[in-house]
Amino acid sequence: MLRYASDGMEHIVTPEIENYLAEYFQLNSQERNIMKPSGGERLFLHRIRWARTHLRYAKLITDTSRGKFKITSRGLEVLNKNPIEIGEGLLNQFNEYVEQRRRAKTNNSFNSNKITTT
């Protein structure tokens, strides 16, 4: 996704990025359309959206509007280093990413421990 966005232009997650990544990973339509076990969303699209979220947490991309994003100068710097993989190991070098993950984990812990009464 980051390499595709390296042109500096604004890109749309669906269908543009989805189609590009499906071709990159050589997925057929059946593989692309597998639904999450919980239903409601295709698994491939769900993974793309999470990848986008992680790239955004690390400030490698920035949202330009709903469903649209573009690469940042930090994202271009990362690509210039020609990483084999962009995963948590690489993303953890960015304080913003670590902080956002910490906040998300804290919020999820808090929400999962909520007690509701009726």
Side-chain angles (χ1 to χ4, degrees):
M1 184 182 310
L2 199 57
R3 280 193 175 89
Y4 186 82
S6 67
D7 61 5
M9 304 298 290
E10 181 179 72
H11 294 283
I12 303 168
V13 173
T14 306
E16 181 185 2
I17 297 297
E18 182 181 3
N19 289 339
Y20 168 77
L21 290 173
E23 187 176 311
Y24 178 85
F25 290 113
Q26 300 177 348
L27 300 179
N28 62 37
S29 62
Q30 184 179 8
E31 292 166 322
R32 284 180 69 168
N33 291 312
I34 294 171
M35 296 299 285
K36 288 175 41 184
S38 61
E41 185 178 32
R42 291 178 292 117
L43 183 60
F44 183 59
L45 183 56
H46 177 76
R47 289 179 175 167
I48 291 169
R49 288 181 175 150
W50 271 111
R52 176 179 168 216
T53 297
H54 285 269
L55 294 174
R56 190 176 62 243
Y57 284 175
K59 307 290 186 202
L60 303 183
I61 62 171
T62 187
D63 287 344
T64 54
S65 63
R66 184 178 171 109
K68 298 178 182 180
F69 69 93
K70 69 180 196 173
I71 197 166
T72 63
S73 58
R74 180 185 280 180
L76 289 170
E77 288 173 20
V78 167
L79 282 181
N80 284 335
K81 294 177 183 174
N82 202 25
I84 294 171
E85 173 181 284
I86 297 176
E88 281 190 277
L90 186 144
L91 298 176
N92 278 325
Q93 71 181 302
F94 303 111
N95 292 333
E96 298 92 342
Y97 180 78
V98 173
E99 180 59 25
Q100 183 63 41
R101 293 293 309 251
R102 186 193 62 73
R103 272 187 269 158
K105 188 175 185 178
T106 300
N107 289 341
N108 286 339
S109 295
F110 177 75
N111 289 336
S112 67
N113 293 324
K114 263 189 191 175
I115 299 174
T116 57
T117 58
T118 55

